[in-house]
Amino acid sequence: MNNIFSNKNSALNKMSFPMKHIILGVLFLLLINGVFATDVWTDLSTTDPADWVSTSQINSVFTASDGNVYTGLANGKLGVYSPATNVWTDLSATDIGNWVGTSYVYSVFESSDGNIYTGLNGGKFGVYSPITNVWADLSATDIGNWVGTSYVYSVFESSDGNIYTGLTDGKFGVYSPITNVWADLSATDVGNWVGFNTCNSIFESTDSNIYIGLTYGKFSVYSPATNVWTDLSATDIGNWVGTSSVISVFESSDGNIYTGLNGGKFGVYSPATNVWTNLSD
C-alpha cells in the first residue's frame, strides 16, 4: 500500500486538488509507516512541534522521491513530514517576504529536479527548494497578469519538464522552469467551450497529450504539438455525465483514460473510439 504514496508515477500522486483534498487527509494518517500492514489507524497530527498546524485544513499531500511527505494546508502553511524521524516540520516561513500570506496551498507536486511546486489561491504559484530551503514566488512570471486572482487548483509536470497548471475561471497554463515564464493556454480552447469552468485535474498520457477534468461535466485534451485544447464532453453516450465535476483523470496501461466524478459517477474514455463510457452502473 505504501507504493501509492512513494511511487511518483502512481495514480494517487498524479491526482490533484480537489480529489486529494477529499481523500488524502485520511490516507496521510493511514498509509505512512505501513499502517495498513499493522491494521492500526495512527494519528500523526501531534508530530508537528509547537503545534504549528493547529486547526489548518490539509488540502494536498505528496510523497517526494526522498521519502518525505509534503503537505499543503490552509492559512499559508506548507510542511514536510519525515517518516524516519516522525516529525512534521513547518516550512511556511521559508517564503521570502511572506508572499504566501494566509493563502491556501491547494496543490503540491514534485518535479523531476526535486523541487516542490505549489498552487495557491489569489493567483499565487510558487516553488520550494529542499536544497536551499526557500519557497520562491513564481506568480509574477505570468505574462500580462493573465492569472489574476484565480485559484491554482492543480499542478502537474509533463515529460518535457514543463509545469502545467489548472485554475479557476476557465484558466489553464504552463510554466517553463527554463525560461521562467508562466504562459496562458486558455485561449487554445476552440470556441471558448471552457468558459469559466475550473480545471480540477491534469494528467499526461503516454502520447504526450494533456487530459483535463473540469467542472460542469466538461472533459478535455490539450495537445502541446498543435496547441489546441479540445472539448471531449460530448463523447459521453447519452449525456450520462450531466453537469458533474470531473475531479480526477488517469491513464491506464491500455491507453484508456479513466475519470472520477462527483455524484457517484465513474467512466472511461477511449482515444481510439472517441467514446466516454459510463462505468457507474
Side-chain angles (χ1 to χ4, degrees):
M1 291 296 294
N2 276 339
N3 285 338
I4 65 173
F5 268 131
S6 60
N7 181 2
K8 181 179 176 182
N9 293 317
S10 70
L12 191 57
N13 269 336
K14 287 188 173 182
M15 287 181 189
S16 52
F17 183 88
M19 178 56 83
K20 281 187 178 180
H21 167 63
I22 297 172
I23 65 173
L24 288 180
V26 175
L27 289 177
F28 178 55
L29 304 178
L30 290 174
L31 297 177
I32 301 299
N33 293 329
V35 169
F36 276 124
T38 58
D39 197 28
V40 175
W41 191 356
T42 304
D43 183 13
L44 300 176
S45 308
T46 57
T47 62
D48 65 317
D51 190 30
W52 65 267
V53 173
S54 190
T55 57
S56 291
Q57 173 177 290
I58 301 176
N59 294 321
S60 187
V61 177
F62 191 92
T63 300
S65 54
D66 60 5
N68 288 322
V69 182
Y70 285 86
T71 51
L73 303 91
N75 305 323
K77 295 179 180 178
L78 173 71
V80 59
Y81 171 78
S82 168
T85 62
N86 194 34
V87 173
W88 192 8
T89 304
D90 184 11
L91 300 176
S92 309
T94 64
D95 68 316
I96 306 300
N98 189 33
W99 63 270
V100 172
T102 57
S103 297
Y104 280 40
V105 184
Y106 281 119
S107 187
V108 178
F109 193 89
E110 182 190 27
S111 60
S112 53
D113 59 7
N115 287 321
I116 308 298
Y117 285 87
T118 53
L120 304 90
N121 62 334
K124 296 179 180 177
F125 172 56
V127 60
Y128 170 76
S129 168
I131 296 176
T132 63
N133 194 34
V134 172
W135 192 9
D137 185 10
L138 299 176
S139 308
T141 63
D142 67 317
I143 306 300
N145 189 32
W146 64 268
V147 172
T149 57
S150 296
Y151 291 22
V152 184
Y153 265 14
S154 50
V155 177
F156 185 86
E157 182 187 30
S158 61
S159 55
D160 60 7
N162 287 321
I163 310 296
Y164 284 87
T165 53
L167 303 90
T168 55
D169 303 321
K171 296 178 180 177
F172 172 57
V174 60
Y175 170 76
S176 168
I178 296 176
T179 63
N180 194 34
V181 172
W182 191 11
D184 185 11
L185 299 177
S186 308
T188 63
D189 68 316
V190 180
N192 190 32
W193 62 267
V194 173
F196 290 97
N197 285 279
T198 296
C199 298
N200 292 322
S201 186
I202 301 174
F203 192 90
E204 182 186 32
S205 59
T206 51
D207 59 6
S208 299
N209 285 320
I210 310 296
Y211 285 88
I212 307 156
L214 303 93
T215 50
Y216 296 104
K218 294 187 176 177
F219 171 57
S220 63
V221 59
Y222 170 75
S223 167
T226 62
N227 194 35
V228 174
W229 190 9
T230 305
D231 185 12
L232 300 177
S233 309
T235 63
D236 67 318
I237 305 301
N239 190 32
W240 63 269
V241 172
T243 58
S244 296
S245 291
V246 183
I247 299 174
S248 58
V249 178
F250 188 79
E251 181 188 30
S252 62
S253 57
D254 59 7
N256 287 321
I257 310 298
Y258 286 85
T259 53
L261 304 87
N262 64 340
K265 295 179 180 178
F266 173 56
V268 59
Y269 171 76
S270 167
T273 62
N274 194 34
V275 174
W276 190 12
T277 304
N278 185 12
L279 300 177
S280 307
D281 300 330

